[in-house]
Amino acid sequence: MANGCEHPAGCHTGTAPVHASATSGARFWLLIEHSGPWAAYLDEMKLPDPVRALIDRATSLGVRPQLIRRPGRRTTGTGPLHVFVASSAASEPWLAEGFFESPDDLDLGSLVHGVVPESCILVNEPMFLVCTHGKRNACCARLGLPLARFLDGNLPGGAWETSHVGGDRYAANLVCLPHGLYYGSMSQAAAIAAANAYRSGEVVLDRYRGRAGIPEPLQAAEHFVRSHTGEFSVGGVAVESSRSESDTTVCVVRSTSQRGSSRFRVVVERVVFTAPCGMTCADEISTYRLADLRQLTPALT
């Protein structure tokens, strides 16, 4: 554990569990290029009026706002607003880019209806966000900055530094858009493997936190089905239905591949992982264990 880090042992190395920990509230995204400085919280930052107006409007509509900047580079902040918008909740998630003289010109109402806002252009290449928000938590800068620069060197134009994405304890954190795939405790090797897999339409389960916008128990159910079936395509596993009672959630999960489709009954239970680090870190990590997994139907051809 690095000096000054109070996170449970193993969080930054991948030995502590990270699955089913992606933020469940992010279905739509607004990414605003702003070089900084970044205060600990967005609502505490001294931002240009157009940027503040966009953030406030996005928040009121349930869109997740993020500030982004190019790794290792700081722009002057002049010129039109440069933004990306993304829908992770669509049946076919998408990412679009736009430049605006006025924040009022960006129709965020279209975004929350799954429609690409006018004057935004669809982006065909994925976007990789690395949390480097050191004012929120020092570990995000200590571990995120070198990772962002590494990815920028290996994925030119695809990597961005970003403000807090959730889960400081899992720094370095990586988010893959437009699908909103979260990875944590990332080394350089793990990050480039995850990025290359995503560019091929696949998920790497190692250090995979889950998909944003999905409740955590459902993230866990998808994770366990992927592990059981070996189905790693991004859209190949999805929860069809679920019901929860106390700390137990029962899901029906469909796994689809070129070989056919199968449905599984999956039961997950919320448990607490306590790090073996004595009194130095009292944090407890909420995670999920697999209680039962059984196939409901044979593969459909």
Side-chain angles (χ1 to χ4, degrees):
M1 183 179 300
N3 185 35
C5 175
E6 297 182 353
H7 295 127
C11 281
H12 300 315
T13 63
T15 55
V18 303
H19 66 273
S21 63
T23 180
S24 60
R27 295 166 56 84
F28 307 100
W29 302 74
L30 168 66
L31 315 167
I32 308 171
E33 185 173 9
H34 178 69
S35 62
W38 296 347
Y41 296 90
L42 289 185
D43 57 5
E44 295 176 354
M45 295 184 191
K46 295 181 179 179
L47 297 170
D49 290 342
V51 175
R52 171 58 61 196
L54 265 184
I55 289 175
D56 290 345
R57 186 148 51 92
T59 301
S60 70
L61 290 171
V63 175
R64 184 180 181 97
Q66 297 282 147
L67 298 180
I68 59 172
R69 59 193 178 201
R70 286 296 188 185
R73 298 188 291 277
R74 300 292 182 266
T75 61
T76 60
T78 59
L81 284 166
H82 179 206
V83 307
F84 293 87
V85 288
S87 172
S88 297
S91 56
E92 295 291 337
W94 51 262
L95 174 70
E97 180 180 23
F99 294 85
F100 298 91
E101 294 294 340
S102 168
D104 294 334
D105 294 335
L106 175 58
D107 181 10
L108 291 177
S110 294
L111 172 60
V112 297
H113 287 95
V115 177
V116 178
E118 187 176 351
S119 300
C120 288
I121 304 298
L122 285 171
V123 176
N124 293 324
E125 292 298 317
M127 189 174 192
F128 301 99
L129 307 179
V130 179
C131 180
T132 61
H133 201 165
K135 288 292 182 65
R136 186 66 177 262
N137 189 280
C139 292
C140 293
R142 177 174 63 85
L143 300 169
L145 283 169
L147 181 61
R149 290 167 182 160
F150 169 79
L151 288 179
D152 185 51
N154 286 271
L155 304 169
W160 294 79
E161 296 180 29
T162 191
S163 52
H164 181 64
V165 298
D168 308 327
R169 59 165 62 110
Y170 302 119
N173 280 297
L174 173 69
V175 180
C176 307
L177 289 176
H179 285 81
L181 306 186
Y182 268 58
Y183 288 88
S185 309
M186 296 302 275
S187 64
Q188 291 183 356
I192 198 67
N196 285 335
Y198 184 59
R199 294 169 77 185
S200 299
E202 294 190 338
V203 172
V204 174
L205 285 190
D206 181 37
R207 311 190 189 200
Y208 178 52
R209 292 181 57 190
R211 185 168 174 178
I214 299 174
E216 290 179 354
L218 278 58
Q219 294 178 37
E222 288 190 6
H223 182 100
F224 292 127
V225 169
R226 288 188 185 279
S227 181
H228 177 76
T229 62
E231 178 53 53
F232 301 125
S233 63
V234 172
V237 175
V239 174
E240 291 185 337
S241 62
S242 66
R243 59 179 176 84
S244 297
E245 182 177 341
S246 186
D247 289 334
T248 299
T249 300
V250 180
C251 302
V252 174
V253 183
R254 178 178 290 273
S255 176
T256 305
S257 69
Q258 293 181 347
R259 300 184 301 274
S261 180
S262 298
R263 296 166 69 242
F264 297 87
R265 178 183 183 271
V266 185
V267 182
V268 298
E269 294 179 349
R270 182 182 177 275
V271 295
V272 173
F273 170 83
T274 304
C277 55
M279 298 301 294
T280 59
C281 54
D283 257 356
E284 294 181 336
I285 300 174
S286 175
T287 186
Y288 293 85
R289 76 171 190 91
L290 178 63
D292 186 51
L293 188 155
R294 64 186 68 178
Q295 187 169 339
L296 294 177
T297 60
L300 302 177
T301 58

